[in-house]
Amino acid sequence: MKNVCYFLFGWIMTLPVLVFGQTYAPEYKKQAHYLALDVHSMTGFHRYRYLEGDEIRFRTADDSYRSTIAAVTDSSFSIYVRNEIMDRTETLTFRFSDVERIYRRNNIPFITQLGVILPVAGVTYGLADFVNAKGLDGRSGRFQFDPQSLVPAGAMIVAGSIFYKISRPTYKLGKRSRLRAF
């Protein structure tokens, strides 16, 4: 009886190992290709990766595109394009040499938002100064720009334009920037 208890106890203790401890042979998966934009700039070398399924914005000699990457090969890549006539999604293939520019969007906290807000605020400030009366009688000074208010309005517009350009760089493909596939 004692041997049977030891046997049952040992069998119960090894049951979780037999059920959950099995290891399966890993399945071989094809390594995902990705598109790389190599950029040599004043700050050094940068590589921006675009995986299959990522959104890319670029321009060719004919048109500009903003779409999702469908596939990447050694010398070309494909994007998804909506065909309105046939009411289906199709793929377009582009060679690396056909692409002229790549547009990126960097999400820099505060800078990206200020790139849109500051020019609008500068134009609003300048228009408010132009439209509102400056004298006590309510009529004098209306529809005239005050030179003192043009400086802050212009500074907001210029700063916003600089922030907008910083957060949305454009890379022209050529000597310093090129597309590669890995």
Side-chain angles (χ1 to χ4, degrees):
M1 180 75 175
K2 193 173 190 183
N3 290 338
V4 173
C5 289
Y6 284 133
F7 175 73
L8 287 174
F9 180 73
W11 188 75
I12 291 172
M13 294 306 282
T14 58
L15 186 62
V17 174
L18 293 174
V19 173
F20 298 109
Q22 295 180 2
T23 59
Y24 297 102
E27 296 178 17
Y28 177 75
K29 292 186 177 180
K30 180 183 163 191
Q31 185 178 7
H33 286 285
Y34 66 89
L35 186 66
L37 173 64
D38 293 338
V39 178
H40 295 277
S41 64
M42 291 179 8
T43 59
F45 174 77
H46 299 284
R47 174 171 285 165
Y48 301 106
R49 291 174 177 87
Y50 295 96
L51 300 172
E52 294 175 1
D54 288 348
E55 185 177 297
I56 186 169
R57 293 183 62 209
F58 63 96
R59 188 180 83 192
T60 61
D62 301 330
D63 202 5
S64 295
Y65 297 93
R66 179 181 181 176
S67 187
T68 304
I69 296 177
V72 177
T73 62
D74 291 337
S75 61
S76 64
F77 65 97
S78 300
I79 61 170
Y80 291 117
V81 178
R82 181 77 179 153
N83 187 344
E84 298 293 333
I85 297 170
M86 299 297 286
D87 195 28
R88 64 180 176 192
T89 303
E90 297 176 348
T91 59
L92 281 177
T93 303
F94 297 95
R95 296 182 54 85
F96 293 157
S97 58
D98 295 340
V99 179
E100 291 181 352
R101 292 184 185 268
I102 299 282
Y103 304 103
R104 286 194 44 83
R105 181 167 179 176
N106 299 333
N107 191 8
I108 305 168
F110 300 111
I111 300 296
T112 303
Q113 291 84 5
L114 285 175
V116 176
I117 292 172
L118 278 179
V120 173
V123 169
T124 305
Y125 185 79
L127 284 176
D129 179 61
F130 181 73
V131 171
N132 290 331
K134 294 167 190 65
L136 295 175
D137 59 355
R139 287 188 228 141
S140 62
R142 180 172 273 182
F143 304 118
Q144 292 179 356
F145 282 112
D146 186 14
Q148 292 178 346
S149 66
L150 289 179
V151 172
M156 284 191 273
I157 293 171
V158 169
S161 301
I162 291 170
F163 292 158
Y164 187 86
K165 184 64 179 166
I166 288 172
S167 63
R168 289 167 180 82
T170 300
Y171 300 108
K172 183 176 180 180
L173 299 181
K175 294 179 182 177
R176 301 188 59 83
S177 302
R178 67 181 194 158
L179 282 176
R180 298 175 65 186
F182 289 100

